[in-house]
Amino acid sequence: MYLLALGRGKDFLPVFADTGHEHQLTYDFIRELPRLTGGPKIRWVKADFTGAIARKRKFIAKNWPGDGVPEDRIARALALLHPSGIPFLDLCLLKGRFPSTMARFCSQELKHFPVYLQVIAPFLEAGHRVMSWQGVRAEESPRRAALPVREKTEEGLSTIRPILKWSWEDVFAIHRKHGIEPNPLYRLGCSRVGCMPCIHARKDEIRNIAHRFPDEIDRVSEWERLVTETCKRGLSSFFSHDKVPGDHQGRAGIPMPDIREVVEWSRTARGGKQFGFASMMEPAQCSSLYGLCE
Ligand code: SF4
């Protein structure tokens, strides 16, 4: 979107919503873009759950004892439930769970709301009309394929999706046109460069992330511990219960697999029992799913 707007000579305000759950290479890529292109500085926005977490602390102290939650668990939850300043983690601490396919509150709370509240709404309130370009493509998901190219709200916000019909070849072509190397994660086997990992990550993506970026798995594992210890059920995992096959799917009370168990499963072949051939092979140094390495 940045390169397209730049090429069209538009005067625009680029905005990036930081979930706090992106890979460092993505942050570096975004920081470098204005310097490499001579384009405008990118405005970073972040959701802030400080006030909401403070209210949740009061709620826990007041209501959990009456709900039969043991005293030591309440004390432990209150000791750990503090804003970290990492939007993704704080949102999960607040909700007492991770997002899932059925409860996909992450993109709304971490991207749409901060961009709207911190950037778009102030312009609208000042009486401006706002044209918001969104960089989504129909190829990415059936949900995105169903989106219109243009939408307008009564408040004066026009949403336009100029690259909705673009193929991934078009995306890399515009990088070449501007002499910009794509986000390096694309050469490291990632098919998308959003959250690391995304709640929708496929089996092969999880395997790739675990192999190349084990620190990211450690980080999410620690997040699982924090959310588990601060939620009322005392049970929470990053991926939803249907991510991997097993008895936990049919019987309540069997703990859901945590991210380390999901990583183990990602290394298995179909059926989830035997280790797959792919998991025994070192991924190549450069392994773009889009043929960027050839
Ligand atoms: S990239 Fe995935 S995990 Fe991140 S906000 Fe979007 S849906 Fe949620």
Side-chain angles (χ1 to χ4, degrees):
M1 292 302 303
Y2 188 94
L3 297 175
L4 182 68
L6 207 56
R8 288 194 187 166
K10 300 278 181 195
D11 182 14
F12 66 102
L13 170 64
V15 182
F16 167 63
D18 181 7
T19 64
H21 184 33
E22 323 279 330
H23 193 276
Q24 189 56 44
L25 288 170
T26 298
Y27 289 127
D28 295 344
F29 177 80
I30 291 162
R31 282 206 179 88
E32 279 291 281
L33 207 47
R35 189 185 68 78
L36 294 173
T37 58
K41 210 172 150 211
I42 297 173
R43 171 123 176 239
W44 289 43
V45 297
K46 266 172 129 176
D48 180 2
F49 301 103
T50 310
I53 288 180
R55 288 191 290 280
K56 180 165 181 183
R57 288 176 55 78
K58 283 189 188 149
F59 180 89
I60 289 174
K62 187 174 169 209
N63 295 291
W64 281 17
D67 292 344
V69 183
E71 245 175 60
D72 58 331
R73 277 211 35 231
I74 297 174
R76 181 101 186 114
L78 290 173
L80 291 171
L81 188 62
H82 294 285
S84 65
I86 302 169
F88 199 106
L89 172 59
D90 288 348
L91 176 62
C92 299
L93 290 171
L94 179 66
K95 298 263 185 193
R97 58 168 295 175
F98 289 90
S100 68
T101 318
M102 300 302 285
R104 225 193 68 174
F105 48 80
C106 43
S107 50
Q108 194 83 337
E109 295 273 1
L110 300 172
K111 296 178 179 177
H112 290 271
F113 291 163
V115 171
Y116 188 83
L117 295 172
Q118 294 175 39
V119 182
I120 294 174
F123 278 115
L124 293 176
E125 280 157 21
H128 296 285
R129 282 178 56 236
V130 178
M131 195 181 280
S132 167
W133 284 19
Q134 286 182 0
V136 292
R137 295 185 307 112
E139 262 183 4
E140 292 169 327
S141 72
R143 226 182 112 256
R144 291 188 172 183
L147 290 170
V149 174
R150 287 172 182 272
E151 266 180 291
K152 206 167 180 175
T153 66
E154 283 176 6
E155 299 83 45
L157 169 65
S158 303
T159 301
I160 302 178
R161 304 183 178 95
I163 65 168
L164 193 66
K165 301 282 180 333
W166 280 26
S167 65
W168 60 262
E169 287 97 336
D170 296 327
V171 175
F172 292 116
I174 200 167
H175 285 76
R176 281 196 299 280
K177 187 174 161 198
H178 286 261
I180 299 292
E181 277 295 315
N183 183 326
L185 290 175
Y186 287 119
R187 290 187 189 275
L188 295 172
C190 296
S191 62
R192 57 182 136 199
V193 295
C195 291
M196 176 67 73
C198 171
I199 53 164
H200 303 303
R202 296 189 314 255
K203 192 175 185 181
D204 57 327
E205 289 176 306
I206 298 168
R207 184 171 63 232
N208 183 53
I209 289 169
H211 185 86
R212 293 190 187 271
F213 315 114
D215 290 355
E216 305 294 341
I217 302 296
D218 293 346
R219 173 176 56 77
V220 173
S221 177
E222 173 59 10
W223 288 8
E224 283 183 328
R225 185 186 71 79
L226 289 170
V227 177
T228 296
E229 298 216 38
T230 52
C231 75
K232 199 171 179 185
R233 286 198 314 150
L235 203 68
S236 191
S237 60
F238 182 80
F239 287 110
S240 53
H241 75 289
D242 54 356
K243 191 74 184 170
V244 307
D247 292 345
H248 62 275
Q249 286 201 6
R251 269 189 275 156
I254 298 183
M256 288 179 279
D258 61 22
I259 191 158
R260 295 200 189 282
E261 291 168 272
V262 174
V263 165
E264 282 309 303
W265 161 80
S266 76
R267 293 176 174 141
T268 61
R270 218 178 154 78
K273 295 264 190 275
Q274 291 164 336
F275 279 95
F277 182 61
S279 72
M280 295 176 204
M281 293 177 57
E282 292 282 309
Q285 250 341 76
C286 181
S287 57
S288 167
L289 299 174
Y290 300 104
L292 295 176
C293 309
E294 277 120 47

